[in-house]
Amino acid sequence: MKILFLNGPNLNLLGQREPEVYGRTTLKDIEAKVRERAAQFKADIDFRQSNVEGELVNWIQDARGKADVIVLNAAAYTHTSVALRDAISGIGIPTIEIHLSNIHAREEFRHTSLIAPVCKGQIAGFGANSYVLAVEAAIIVNGAAKS
Ligand code: DQA
């Protein structure tokens, strides 16, 4: 089983960026935690980050026939991107939306996710552990897709 983790803008700055909101764990450390958890399920991980919306769209499209599940932290694009939403609904790969912070407990503009309606579900508010939980969610979603 292959899980594609995609990270949107500014997540390359994790560890330094607003640590009171996002914690002190870097994206590299998060990737290591994800790989450790995935190894327990014998799942393959592809883990990427981009600040560019179109690059994220290209990666979603390219996942066809390669990834079983996509885990997406679209960061700020969560709240703005029709292009990401259309890419997710266009390719038909089950996608899980994740966030480090609880977007529903923050500013009003973060309460709306344009991608949520085309995702299987959302994990938000558990810091770096949102990513670890997403590995398990991906296994469940993949099992459900196959049974
Ligand atoms: C985020 C929440 C978004 O609102 C924000 O723009 C981010 C990070 C999170 O992981 O908590 O960049 O996706």
Side-chain angles (χ1 to χ4, degrees):
M1 177 195 175
K2 186 150 188 170
I3 312 171
L4 174 62
F5 274 78
L6 295 181
N7 294 281
N10 301 306
L11 294 172
N12 53 313
L13 299 180
L14 283 180
Q16 306 154 35
R17 173 193 182 206
E18 299 178 81
E20 64 291 352
V21 179
Y22 299 116
R24 295 199 180 272
T25 312
T26 65
L27 196 59
K28 268 262 156 275
D29 292 339
I30 290 176
E31 179 178 350
K33 282 175 190 280
V34 163
R35 290 190 182 282
E36 201 181 306
R37 189 78 180 111
Q40 294 166 352
F41 294 107
K42 299 197 176 7
D44 280 348
I45 298 296
D46 188 347
F47 196 97
R48 304 179 190 191
Q49 188 274 333
S50 178
N51 293 325
V52 181
E53 186 177 14
E55 189 161 36
L56 293 162
V57 170
N58 284 339
W59 285 342
I60 291 169
Q61 291 186 10
D62 289 349
R64 270 178 304 180
K66 295 180 194 149
D68 297 296
V69 179
I70 296 174
V71 174
L72 175 61
N73 185 350
Y77 292 142
T78 304
H79 318 296
T80 63
S81 181
V82 177
L84 280 178
R85 176 191 173 124
D86 286 352
I88 296 163
S89 58
I91 53 143
I93 298 173
T95 299
I96 299 165
E97 175 183 359
I98 65 165
H99 302 281
L100 296 132
S101 63
N102 179 358
I103 55 172
H104 305 288
R106 299 183 62 196
E107 303 96 318
E108 187 111 23
F109 69 88
R110 293 185 206 276
H111 298 183
T112 302
S113 166
L114 295 190
I115 64 171
V118 295
C119 288
K120 287 283 170 195
Q122 185 188 74
I123 300 169
F126 301 99
N129 284 319
S130 290
Y131 284 75
V132 179
L133 291 168
V135 174
E136 197 154 332
I139 303 294
I140 291 166
V141 161
N142 190 47
K146 291 204 169 129
S147 61

